[in-house]
Amino acid sequence: MDENLLDDLVAANRILAEYGVIDAYGHVSIRSPDDPKRFFLARAIAPETVQREDILEYDLDAHALDARGRESVSERFIHSEIYRVRPDVIAVVHNHSPSVVPFSVTGVKMRALFHMASFIGDGLPNFEIRKAKKGSDLLVRTPQLGVALAKTLGKKPAALMRGHGSVVTGENLQRAVGRSIYLEMSARMQMQAMMLSRNITFLDAAEVKASAPVQDYKRAWPLWRQKALAKAKVER
Amino acid sequence: MDENLLDDLVAANRILAEYGVIDAYGHVSIRSPDDPKRFFLARAIAPETVQREDILEYDLDAHALDARGRESVSERFIHSEIYRVRPDVIAVVHNHSPSVVPFSVTGVKMRALFHMASFIGDGLPNFEIRKAKKGSDLLVRTPQLGVALAKTLGKKPAALMRGHGSVVTGENLQRAVGRSIYLEMSARMQMQAMMLSRNITFLDAAEVKASAPVQDYKRAWPLWRQKALAKAKVER
Amino acid sequence: MDENLLDDLVAANRILAEYGVIDAYGHVSIRSPDDPKRFFLARAIAPETVQREDILEYDLDAHALDARGRESVSERFIHSEIYRVRPDVIAVVHNHSPSVVPFSVTGVKMRALFHMASFIGDGLPNFEIRKAKKGSDLLVRTPQLGVALAKTLGKKPAALMRGHGSVVTGENLQRAVGRSIYLEMSARMQMQAMMLSRNITFLDAAEVKASAPVQDYKRAWPLWRQKALAKAKVER
Amino acid sequence: MDENLLDDLVAANRILAEYGVIDAYGHVSIRSPDDPKRFFLARAIAPETVQREDILEYDLDAHALDARGRESVSERFIHSEIYRVRPDVIAVVHNHSPSVVPFSVTGVKMRALFHMASFIGDGLPNFEIRKAKKGSDLLVRTPQLGVALAKTLGKKPAALMRGHGSVVTGENLQRAVGRSIYLEMSARMQMQAMMLSRNITFLDAAEVKASAPVQDYKRAWPLWRQKALAKAKVER
């Protein structure tokens, strides 16, 4: 893969950790620009320590092409099954976004109320893993669970995962990362708004639609990327 | 422009980012001391990376006088239209202040309850962009929207912007910056007070008036400025 | 004054800033070990920048003995009037402790529920400055207001100040500092407990009494002091 | 003791401080791999400053074997009495976890709602020290109180301590540390979920059981340990 793209993915791992969106167990992937049936994802280490050599290439069955002893994350099926059914998706983030979890366990709908997270639109689906498998450890560790999650996601940009976190997609990496950061922020804002009042003005459908092209996180991305890669370099 | 003033504006960008009041998309401007029909504002980059050479001069139609390829922020009309109708305003901050957004979407009135944010007085207006333009992306990207915002602001020191953030003004830069920082803090305090009780003692009119001259953030400013410029220097 | 004691006070200023208990406008003083009618307090600068040479000596009328052009904080009467009537008090902190303000404006009583802040006991008084002066700027800038505050404080270790913050005392500096840090923490815990339930188990009178000798923050102080002075040294 | 294990314990002290789970007064111990009737615990200093030479060995009566003037923590009986009755426990953390305290004083039951803290299961016991000793300072400073706490803990992985914090155990050190970090996080999530709705989906018994083997914090531990030991080395 192109070195620049590898660096993008290294940066994405570190940005998400820096912003508290992923802990040691989140992950982020990018579809291969050379082959839409392939994607790149770091091996099973804490994202804030990822370097270029930690990144593996996978096919859509989530098989690593050249693992050379590097351990894959068990939840890689989140990525593979979404890429399989969503050709528009170029990047996928799976996180344990702390302020999103309370929504996932109460079924209270997240809705767009902050323009930077307008992609939430009129709500995000919530993946109840129990419907696909009873008595699970909540992890999406099989192709079947990946399929079920992708089905819950449908055509939406993101889905909550009950008691676990969320999955966020983007038509490019910076969108998947930016959306993850602002999803966390929007969740906090919505909790606070709900404590203040029952009467909340959410973005309406036309506003959501108008915001979509603008909210590309293009101004934030170079700053985020540069800081992350500077840190990666120091840690080599 | 005077180099000292340029440094003030570089510092203001970085201070606001450091205090979590602006993310990659906030901005802060200062009216030109040489010509009240001009103002200075950084180009479209993340505020925490601003250096002197990123600062552009604008006229009151928000035209950059000497852009030399530097991209302007799309929401510069927030600044130009407020400077046009408020000769008392010397500095303007636009932010996505996270604790202010919940007030903006619920219509719950922010009121002065903390002496460091006494400028809130008996409440701040809330700009509902829908009244000026239906189905917008919530951004103030035209002169018309800037005019509408300035009209909502009226003679107040600040206005909330529904689902977006706020705009904060000052008769000098340190006040606009200090007010932005304490507006965020006061919003958090008011949310907490409202959860504790329905019976809140706000500052009364006489207390608000008495506090105005004192709350100039003069003791904080040199500390904030020095730290910000030290960082700017290192990053050169 | 003894250099070690001066360093204690430099450290106290910086510790309180580091822990978010004081912003640019808090202050901390210590009674002179040589003369109980004297006390030491830094000049009017941001506490996190205080160095030895910023510390002034005052008499109990809050007159600086040897100012040499150094500006005094306007609220020094908080310190002088408490030292005057409370011979047991050796150190005084005035802060804008953010989680304490919501209690001060609602009149909801803070009570001891966390053993590290057992000094709160069965509640702290709340200074309503309006009773002493209507239409004030909330600042304790006269001897008369200092007297009124000291009267509200009475024999308690601390008092809230409505819409402003609090004053915290100690029979030594480490207690005044430690209590300030844990008062903020306890306020947050009490707000959360009140949201969870109306039925809270507070420390009872015997527990408060038993905790008093133990809660001296003796284990924390050397760590706090060492970190603060290391930073002070670097900034010279 | 094996140097590697000593380093694990040094790291554990610093990790817990870094994550805000312990303040200057928390502690963490590990059972000796050579003798199950012995355990290791740092002397009475702030955990974030612990180095190898600060670690003492104790027997199950909490007597230090070779103190050489190093002061023991007064609450070491928390550790000794749990090790005595729980042969499965290899590591014990005592903390003042801030978000756990509100649960401890309200009797609201913490339950598993986040897969990373699935060990909470159907609830944790709450140690009410008053039942063992009236009018205490809340500290577990005697063998008798240690016995009472161990009895409240029973076969559970952790117990809350009313108005004080919690005790968390593990069948290895990384579990005790990881559980402490995620217990704090889960407490915050549960408070937020309870504010959003009365209808919360907790992990069911089968999910708790299935999660147990997976939630070993194995991916986080090397990252945490490496950062902590790097800091310890610098501070030497």
Side-chain angles (χ1 to χ4, degrees), chain B residues 57-91:
Chain B
E57 189 171 2
Y58 292 91
D59 64 24
L60 291 192
D61 292 323
H63 289 130
L65 300 183
D66 181 27
R68 281 176 283 139
R70 293 172 293 176
E71 187 195 347
S72 291
V73 297
S74 65
E75 295 194 284
R76 59 197 179 275
F77 305 101
I78 294 175
H79 305 262
S80 58
E81 298 303 334
I82 289 175
Y83 286 126
R84 196 191 300 274
V85 298
R86 285 281 300 272
D88 60 310
V89 167
I90 299 301

Short mmCIF file of all heavy atoms in Angstrom, two decimals, chain B residues 57-91:
data_model
loop_
_atom_site.label_atom_id
_atom_site.label_comp_id
_atom_site.label_asym_id
_atom_site.label_seq_id
_atom_site.Cartn_x
_atom_site.Cartn_y
_atom_site.Cartn_z
N GLU B 57 -6.22 40.34 6.71
CA GLU B 57 -7.00 41.55 7.01
C GLU B 57 -8.24 41.56 6.12
O GLU B 57 -8.18 41.20 4.94
CB GLU B 57 -6.14 42.80 6.75
CG GLU B 57 -6.80 44.07 7.25
CD GLU B 57 -5.87 45.28 7.22
OE1 GLU B 57 -4.71 45.13 6.76
OE2 GLU B 57 -6.29 46.36 7.65
N TYR B 58 -9.37 41.95 6.70
CA TYR B 58 -10.65 41.97 5.97
C TYR B 58 -11.29 43.34 6.06
O TYR B 58 -11.09 44.06 7.05
CB TYR B 58 -11.62 40.95 6.56
CG TYR B 58 -11.20 39.52 6.35
CD1 TYR B 58 -10.42 38.87 7.29
CD2 TYR B 58 -11.59 38.84 5.19
CE1 TYR B 58 -10.01 37.56 7.08
CE2 TYR B 58 -11.19 37.53 4.98
CZ TYR B 58 -10.39 36.90 5.93
OH TYR B 58 -9.99 35.60 5.72
N ASP B 59 -12.11 43.66 5.05
CA ASP B 59 -12.97 44.83 5.17
C ASP B 59 -14.32 44.38 5.72
O ASP B 59 -14.53 43.18 5.98
CB ASP B 59 -13.09 45.57 3.83
CG ASP B 59 -13.76 44.75 2.75
OD1 ASP B 59 -14.55 43.81 3.07
OD2 ASP B 59 -13.51 45.02 1.56
N LEU B 60 -15.24 45.31 5.87
CA LEU B 60 -16.51 44.96 6.52
C LEU B 60 -17.46 44.20 5.59
O LEU B 60 -18.56 43.80 6.00
CB LEU B 60 -17.17 46.21 7.10
CG LEU B 60 -16.44 46.80 8.32
CD1 LEU B 60 -17.32 47.85 9.00
CD2 LEU B 60 -16.03 45.74 9.33
N ASP B 61 -17.05 43.99 4.35
CA ASP B 61 -17.79 43.06 3.49
C ASP B 61 -17.16 41.66 3.55
O ASP B 61 -17.51 40.78 2.80
CB ASP B 61 -17.81 43.55 2.04
CG ASP B 61 -18.63 44.83 1.92
OD1 ASP B 61 -19.66 44.94 2.63
OD2 ASP B 61 -18.23 45.72 1.15
N ALA B 62 -16.19 41.51 4.47
CA ALA B 62 -15.50 40.24 4.66
C ALA B 62 -14.67 39.82 3.44
O ALA B 62 -14.47 38.64 3.18
CB ALA B 62 -16.48 39.14 5.08
N HIS B 63 -14.21 40.82 2.72
CA HIS B 63 -13.25 40.55 1.63
C HIS B 63 -11.84 40.63 2.19
O HIS B 63 -11.50 41.62 2.84
CB HIS B 63 -13.40 41.58 0.51
CG HIS B 63 -14.66 41.40 -0.28
ND1 HIS B 63 -15.53 42.44 -0.55
CD2 HIS B 63 -15.22 40.29 -0.83
CE1 HIS B 63 -16.56 41.98 -1.24
NE2 HIS B 63 -16.40 40.68 -1.42
N ALA B 64 -11.05 39.63 1.88
CA ALA B 64 -9.66 39.66 2.31
C ALA B 64 -8.90 40.66 1.44
O ALA B 64 -9.08 40.70 0.21
CB ALA B 64 -9.04 38.27 2.18
N LEU B 65 -8.06 41.49 2.07
CA LEU B 65 -7.38 42.54 1.32
C LEU B 65 -6.17 42.02 0.58
O LEU B 65 -5.79 42.53 -0.46
CB LEU B 65 -6.96 43.65 2.29
CG LEU B 65 -8.15 44.29 3.03
CD1 LEU B 65 -7.68 45.42 3.92
CD2 LEU B 65 -9.17 44.81 2.01
N ASP B 66 -5.53 41.01 1.12
CA ASP B 66 -4.27 40.55 0.52
C ASP B 66 -4.12 39.05 0.80
O ASP B 66 -3.25 38.64 1.57
CB ASP B 66 -3.11 41.36 1.13
CG ASP B 66 -1.77 40.96 0.54
OD1 ASP B 66 -1.74 40.49 -0.62
OD2 ASP B 66 -0.76 41.09 1.25
N ALA B 67 -5.00 38.26 0.22
CA ALA B 67 -5.09 36.86 0.60
C ALA B 67 -3.86 36.04 0.19
O ALA B 67 -3.43 35.14 0.88
CB ALA B 67 -6.33 36.23 -0.03
N ARG B 68 -3.26 36.35 -0.93
CA ARG B 68 -2.11 35.58 -1.44
C ARG B 68 -2.31 34.07 -1.28
O ARG B 68 -1.46 33.37 -0.71
CB ARG B 68 -0.84 36.03 -0.72
CG ARG B 68 -0.28 37.34 -1.29
CD ARG B 68 0.93 37.82 -0.50
NE ARG B 68 0.54 38.43 0.76
CZ ARG B 68 1.17 38.24 1.92
NH1 ARG B 68 2.24 37.47 1.98
NH2 ARG B 68 0.74 38.82 3.02
N GLY B 69 -3.47 33.60 -1.74
CA GLY B 69 -3.71 32.16 -1.76
C GLY B 69 -4.17 31.56 -0.46
O GLY B 69 -4.47 30.37 -0.37
N ARG B 70 -4.22 32.37 0.56
CA ARG B 70 -4.66 31.84 1.85
C ARG B 70 -6.18 31.77 1.90
O ARG B 70 -6.85 32.78 1.65
CB ARG B 70 -4.10 32.71 2.99
CG ARG B 70 -2.57 32.61 3.09
CD ARG B 70 -2.00 33.62 4.07
NE ARG B 70 -2.18 34.99 3.59
CZ ARG B 70 -1.83 36.07 4.30
NH1 ARG B 70 -1.29 35.94 5.50
NH2 ARG B 70 -2.01 37.28 3.81
N GLU B 71 -6.74 30.61 2.24
CA GLU B 71 -8.19 30.40 2.23
C GLU B 71 -8.86 31.06 3.43
O GLU B 71 -8.42 30.90 4.56
CB GLU B 71 -8.48 28.88 2.26
CG GLU B 71 -9.95 28.53 2.07
CD GLU B 71 -10.26 27.08 2.48
OE1 GLU B 71 -9.30 26.28 2.67
OE2 GLU B 71 -11.44 26.75 2.61
N SER B 72 -9.94 31.76 3.18
CA SER B 72 -10.68 32.41 4.26
C SER B 72 -11.66 31.43 4.91
O SER B 72 -12.14 30.51 4.26
CB SER B 72 -11.48 33.60 3.72
OG SER B 72 -10.62 34.63 3.33
N VAL B 73 -11.99 31.67 6.18
CA VAL B 73 -13.02 30.84 6.81
C VAL B 73 -14.37 31.25 6.24
O VAL B 73 -14.64 32.43 6.03
CB VAL B 73 -13.01 30.95 8.36
CG1 VAL B 73 -11.70 30.44 8.91
CG2 VAL B 73 -13.29 32.34 8.84
N SER B 74 -15.20 30.26 6.02
CA SER B 74 -16.48 30.54 5.35
C SER B 74 -17.40 31.37 6.24
O SER B 74 -18.25 32.09 5.75
CB SER B 74 -17.16 29.23 4.95
OG SER B 74 -17.51 28.49 6.10
N GLU B 75 -17.21 31.26 7.55
CA GLU B 75 -18.11 31.98 8.46
C GLU B 75 -17.58 33.37 8.87
O GLU B 75 -17.97 33.89 9.91
CB GLU B 75 -18.36 31.12 9.71
CG GLU B 75 -19.09 29.83 9.42
CD GLU B 75 -19.62 29.21 10.70
OE1 GLU B 75 -18.79 28.64 11.44
OE2 GLU B 75 -20.82 29.30 10.96
N ARG B 76 -16.74 33.97 8.02
CA ARG B 76 -16.18 35.28 8.38
C ARG B 76 -17.25 36.37 8.49
O ARG B 76 -17.01 37.41 9.10
CB ARG B 76 -15.10 35.68 7.38
CG ARG B 76 -15.57 35.78 5.94
CD ARG B 76 -14.37 35.78 4.99
NE ARG B 76 -14.79 35.86 3.59
CZ ARG B 76 -15.14 34.81 2.84
NH1 ARG B 76 -15.13 33.59 3.36
NH2 ARG B 76 -15.50 34.98 1.58
N PHE B 77 -18.44 36.10 7.95
CA PHE B 77 -19.52 37.09 8.01
C PHE B 77 -20.04 37.28 9.44
O PHE B 77 -20.67 38.28 9.75
CB PHE B 77 -20.64 36.70 7.05
CG PHE B 77 -20.13 36.52 5.65
CD1 PHE B 77 -19.88 35.25 5.14
CD2 PHE B 77 -19.82 37.63 4.87
CE1 PHE B 77 -19.36 35.08 3.86
CE2 PHE B 77 -19.29 37.46 3.59
CZ PHE B 77 -19.06 36.18 3.08
N ILE B 78 -19.80 36.28 10.30
CA ILE B 78 -20.11 36.47 11.72
C ILE B 78 -19.39 37.71 12.23
O ILE B 78 -19.96 38.55 12.92
CB ILE B 78 -19.66 35.23 12.55
CG1 ILE B 78 -20.46 33.99 12.17
CG2 ILE B 78 -19.76 35.53 14.04
CD1 ILE B 78 -19.98 32.72 12.86
N HIS B 79 -18.13 37.81 11.86
CA HIS B 79 -17.30 38.90 12.33
C HIS B 79 -17.66 40.23 11.65
O HIS B 79 -17.89 41.24 12.31
CB HIS B 79 -15.82 38.56 12.11
CG HIS B 79 -15.42 37.26 12.73
ND1 HIS B 79 -14.79 37.18 13.95
CD2 HIS B 79 -15.59 35.97 12.33
CE1 HIS B 79 -14.59 35.90 14.26
NE2 HIS B 79 -15.07 35.15 13.28
N SER B 80 -17.71 40.20 10.33
CA SER B 80 -17.88 41.45 9.59
C SER B 80 -19.20 42.14 9.94
O SER B 80 -19.24 43.36 10.14
CB SER B 80 -17.80 41.19 8.08
OG SER B 80 -18.78 40.25 7.67
N GLU B 81 -20.26 41.37 10.04
CA GLU B 81 -21.56 42.01 10.25
C GLU B 81 -21.74 42.50 11.69
O GLU B 81 -22.49 43.43 11.94
CB GLU B 81 -22.70 41.06 9.83
CG GLU B 81 -22.66 40.71 8.33
CD GLU B 81 -22.72 41.94 7.40
OE1 GLU B 81 -23.25 42.99 7.80
OE2 GLU B 81 -22.20 41.83 6.27
N ILE B 82 -21.05 41.85 12.61
CA ILE B 82 -21.09 42.38 13.99
C ILE B 82 -20.26 43.66 14.10
O ILE B 82 -20.70 44.65 14.68
CB ILE B 82 -20.62 41.30 15.00
CG1 ILE B 82 -21.69 40.20 15.10
CG2 ILE B 82 -20.37 41.93 16.39
CD1 ILE B 82 -21.30 39.01 15.97
N TYR B 83 -19.07 43.66 13.48
CA TYR B 83 -18.26 44.89 13.51
C TYR B 83 -19.02 46.05 12.85
O TYR B 83 -18.91 47.21 13.26
CB TYR B 83 -16.92 44.68 12.80
CG TYR B 83 -15.94 43.84 13.60
CD1 TYR B 83 -15.34 42.71 13.03
CD2 TYR B 83 -15.58 44.18 14.90
CE1 TYR B 83 -14.43 41.93 13.75
CE2 TYR B 83 -14.68 43.40 15.62
CZ TYR B 83 -14.11 42.28 15.05
OH TYR B 83 -13.21 41.53 15.76
N ARG B 84 -19.79 45.75 11.82
CA ARG B 84 -20.49 46.81 11.09
C ARG B 84 -21.49 47.55 11.99
O ARG B 84 -21.56 48.78 11.95
CB ARG B 84 -21.24 46.20 9.89
CG ARG B 84 -21.67 47.24 8.87
CD ARG B 84 -22.63 46.68 7.82
NE ARG B 84 -22.10 45.59 7.02
CZ ARG B 84 -21.37 45.72 5.90
NH1 ARG B 84 -21.07 46.93 5.47
NH2 ARG B 84 -20.97 44.66 5.24
N VAL B 85 -22.22 46.78 12.80
CA VAL B 85 -23.31 47.44 13.56
C VAL B 85 -22.98 47.67 15.03
O VAL B 85 -23.78 48.24 15.75
CB VAL B 85 -24.62 46.62 13.46
CG1 VAL B 85 -25.09 46.55 12.01
CG2 VAL B 85 -24.42 45.20 14.02
N ARG B 86 -21.82 47.23 15.45
CA ARG B 86 -21.49 47.39 16.88
C ARG B 86 -20.13 48.08 17.03
O ARG B 86 -19.11 47.42 17.25
CB ARG B 86 -21.44 46.02 17.56
CG ARG B 86 -22.81 45.38 17.84
CD ARG B 86 -23.47 45.99 19.08
NE ARG B 86 -22.69 45.79 20.25
CZ ARG B 86 -22.77 44.71 21.05
NH1 ARG B 86 -23.63 43.76 20.80
NH2 ARG B 86 -21.99 44.61 22.10
N PRO B 87 -20.13 49.40 16.90
CA PRO B 87 -18.84 50.12 16.98
C PRO B 87 -18.11 49.89 18.30
O PRO B 87 -16.90 50.04 18.36
CB PRO B 87 -19.24 51.59 16.82
CG PRO B 87 -20.73 51.66 16.99
CD PRO B 87 -21.27 50.30 16.66
N ASP B 88 -18.83 49.48 19.34
CA ASP B 88 -18.19 49.23 20.64
C ASP B 88 -17.42 47.92 20.67
O ASP B 88 -16.60 47.70 21.56
CB ASP B 88 -19.25 49.19 21.75
CG ASP B 88 -20.29 48.09 21.50
OD1 ASP B 88 -20.84 48.02 20.37
OD2 ASP B 88 -20.55 47.27 22.42
N VAL B 89 -17.67 47.07 19.68
CA VAL B 89 -17.02 45.74 19.69
C VAL B 89 -15.66 45.81 19.00
O VAL B 89 -15.55 46.24 17.86
CB VAL B 89 -17.92 44.70 19.00
CG1 VAL B 89 -17.15 43.41 18.72
CG2 VAL B 89 -19.15 44.39 19.86
N ILE B 90 -14.64 45.33 19.71
CA ILE B 90 -13.27 45.34 19.18
C ILE B 90 -12.79 43.92 18.88
O ILE B 90 -11.85 43.72 18.11
CB ILE B 90 -12.31 46.03 20.18
CG1 ILE B 90 -12.73 47.48 20.43
CG2 ILE B 90 -10.86 45.98 19.73
CD1 ILE B 90 -12.77 48.35 19.18
N ALA B 91 -13.42 42.91 19.46
CA ALA B 91 -13.00 41.53 19.23
C ALA B 91 -14.22 40.61 19.24
O ALA B 91 -15.17 40.84 19.98
CB ALA B 91 -12.00 41.08 20.28
#
